[in-house]
Amino acid sequence: IVISVCPKARKSAFANTAKIYSGKVKQAKDNPEVKELMIDSLMLIYDGRIANFGQRGYVLEKKGRDHLKYRPKQPEVAYAMFEEALRLRGNKMGAGAIVYMYKARYRMFKMDMCTKEELIEQYPVLKAIADFNIKNSKKEKNIKNYKTANENLLQYFKEVASCEDLVGAFKPKFEGNPNDVELISGVLELLNAKECEDSDFYIAVAKRLQELSPSPLAAWSIANWYVKKEKCTEAINYYIEAFSLADSLPEAEKASFKVKAALRAGRCYLSKGEYSNAKLMANKALSVDKYSGEAYMIIGDAYYGGSASVGENPCAKKAGNWAAVDKYQKALAKDAELKAKIGKKIANAKSRYPSKEQCFFYTINEGDSYKVIGWINETTTARFNN
């Protein structure tokens, strides 16, 4: 009655009536004719709200969402609503709306109403809206919603796009705009999201971005490419650079990125047998996240691998294995998910403990406190392999 007699009286009348009709649509699920009437009425309520209170873009987001939900065989109609909402709202577009828009486009692709290239090219446009709001919103709830939107967008994107598709869609754009930092950065993010690190296009994009605008993402990407090519030596410096450049990232991303970069560098050092450097990088990770079980595991691996490099007698040269087990146990205490890996590592290290006879002549007894010298530089407890 309020809407019929005095539609401009209350905006809430339209908002509440939309909720009521949404309920009626669900109630009529077993009666297609009535259900369609309820959907039609719901769409008219949205139109009436726009006519009387404006906010066209905002209301079209809601209308498009419900149209896609209740008329899934007409995704192109819902998509047109979202398309207009995007033009009107830009970065103000809601977190849910950008996901529903991509979902509508995805359904259009499945129904041969748009090409795969069009679907792929839309992803970075919508992701940019989510990224903008994650970076600039002051409300924790909004940030959380846009992060969830990003995750949902990525799931649709991964399902449809192969690495070959990305190269085909973005290589011409990259070659036509080799100085466009924003474009190149966006392309690199897409390639990373799809784990396309081993393609020649990937390294071309990453290195070009690093030339134009050194960034943690570019350094990280170049390092990953070298790892894929089994060139860990070349990757190390780029991981270290990524660690340093990560200070430019938003606070919400910085810590996790620095830890990842340091651990990757540490693993590469392990593969080269540079155990003291592996320990150094693991400690860099711990300086950011003291709860990183993986960092303690890398230190344990370094002690296990490099034990023989310190000490001047058979007992001392195996004492590093005591320190290795200490670190493995600490890693497990920090991260229970490492249990399967840690169990095997501890068993291997214990099998290399010195014997009681090897240590007897150096007055080292079971349970004694012992300082492992050199780069290991750890105080541990003597244990024997009997």
Side-chain angles (χ1 to χ4, degrees):
I1 292 172
V2 171
I3 288 173
S4 299
V5 176
C6 191
K8 293 186 181 296
R10 290 180 183 274
K11 182 166 62 176
S12 61
F14 288 95
N16 291 333
T17 304
K19 293 177 184 177
I20 292 170
Y21 273 115
S22 291
K24 288 181 177 292
V25 172
K26 294 174 184 176
Q27 290 171 0
K29 63 181 180 178
D30 297 324
N31 190 329
E33 187 175 338
V34 173
K35 180 180 178 181
E36 189 57 35
L37 286 172
M38 295 302 102
I39 295 171
D40 194 53
S41 296
L42 175 61
M43 297 298 116
L44 287 173
I45 291 298
Y46 285 129
D47 291 340
R49 177 171 172 174
I50 292 170
N52 289 282
F53 293 96
Q55 294 184 297
R56 183 174 181 83
Y58 174 76
V59 179
L60 281 175
E61 290 181 16
K62 296 180 176 295
K63 185 179 179 183
R65 175 202 64 199
D66 283 347
H67 196 286
L68 189 66
K69 283 169 62 177
Y70 302 133
R71 288 173 173 162
K73 294 182 180 180
Q74 299 175 358
E76 75 283 4
V77 177
Y79 182 78
M81 297 175 193
F82 289 124
E83 199 169 31
E84 184 178 353
L86 178 60
R87 287 198 301 270
L88 294 170
R89 301 259 290 162
N91 284 328
K92 293 182 179 179
M93 197 167 188
I98 62 176
V99 175
Y100 273 104
M101 184 173 185
Y102 203 63
K103 190 174 182 179
R105 196 64 154 171
Y106 178 79
R107 286 187 182 171
M108 288 173 67
F109 166 68
K110 288 293 187 180
M111 296 169 70
D112 294 324
M113 295 179 180
C114 74
T115 65
K116 182 184 282 190
E117 288 73 22
E118 289 173 321
L119 183 60
I120 290 171
E121 289 176 1
Q122 180 142 61
Y123 172 78
V125 174
L126 298 179
K127 183 180 184 299
I129 296 173
D131 290 342
F132 176 87
N133 284 279
I134 291 169
K135 183 177 180 180
N136 294 288
S137 180
K138 295 180 180 179
K139 294 182 178 180
E140 191 60 35
K141 183 179 179 180
N142 285 344
I143 294 172
K144 183 178 179 180
N145 288 342
Y146 281 104
K147 284 183 176 179
T148 301
N150 249 346
E151 292 168 5
N152 291 333
L153 285 173
L154 183 58
Q155 291 310 308
Y156 280 110
F157 176 74
K158 282 185 173 181
E159 188 172 329
V160 73
S162 67
C163 291
E164 291 76 16
D165 293 329
L166 294 182
V167 173
F170 293 106
K171 188 175 181 181
K173 294 180 184 293
F174 169 70
E175 292 176 344
N177 303 275
N179 298 313
D180 188 333
V181 173
E182 186 174 348
L183 168 69
I184 296 171
S185 180
V187 171
L188 189 56
E189 283 192 30
L190 293 179
L191 293 170
N192 275 320
K194 194 61 184 175
E195 299 180 355
C196 303
E197 293 100 334
D198 57 350
S199 72
D200 292 337
F201 179 57
Y202 179 89
I203 193 61
V205 172
K207 286 191 171 181
R208 183 56 181 159
L209 180 59
Q210 196 68 345
E211 290 171 5
L212 295 172
S213 179
S215 70
L217 172 64
W220 168 264
S221 301
I222 295 169
N224 288 346
W225 185 85
Y226 279 122
V227 169
K228 287 275 188 177
K229 299 297 181 182
E230 298 182 354
K231 297 179 178 180
C232 232
T233 300
E234 288 86 345
I236 289 172
N237 286 336
Y238 285 105
Y239 282 133
I240 293 173
E241 185 176 6
F243 179 90
S244 299
L245 292 172
D247 287 325
S248 64
L249 293 172
E251 285 299 321
E253 302 172 26
K254 181 167 66 176
S256 62
F257 191 94
K258 288 176 82 75
V259 170
K260 285 194 306 180
L263 294 179
R264 289 279 184 100
R267 288 194 214 104
C268 277
Y269 275 128
L270 283 176
S271 71
K272 294 177 62 185
E274 294 187 20
Y275 300 118
S276 62
N277 284 329
K279 175 184 178 180
L280 176 67
M281 294 313 302
N283 278 327
K284 282 184 178 289
L286 289 170
S287 72
V288 179
D289 178 10
K290 63 182 180 181
Y291 299 105
S292 173
E294 192 169 349
Y296 284 111
M297 186 171 70
I298 287 176
I299 297 174
D301 288 345
Y303 291 172
Y304 175 78
S307 175
S309 68
V310 300
E312 298 176 350
N313 60 66
C315 181
K317 287 183 177 294
K318 291 188 174 183
N321 292 289
W322 299 334
V325 170
D326 293 345
K327 294 301 179 183
Y328 288 145
Q329 290 172 337
K330 196 160 189 177
L332 186 57
K334 299 293 183 184
D335 187 350
E337 292 184 2
L338 295 174
K339 184 176 181 179
K341 291 181 180 179
I342 293 296
K344 294 177 182 178
K345 291 177 182 290
I346 288 177
N348 289 337
K350 284 184 175 180
S351 72
R352 287 170 49 174
Y353 279 177
S355 67
K356 185 181 295 186
E357 290 75 16
Q358 285 175 315
C359 296
F360 175 77
F361 292 104
Y362 305 100
T363 64
I364 300 170
N365 299 304
E366 182 103 27
D368 284 353
S369 178
Y370 181 85
K371 177 68 175 287
V372 185
I373 63 173
W375 63 270
I376 293 181
N377 192 32
E378 295 274 1
T379 298
T380 182
T381 302
R383 286 150 281 180
F384 299 131
N385 183 13
N386 296 318

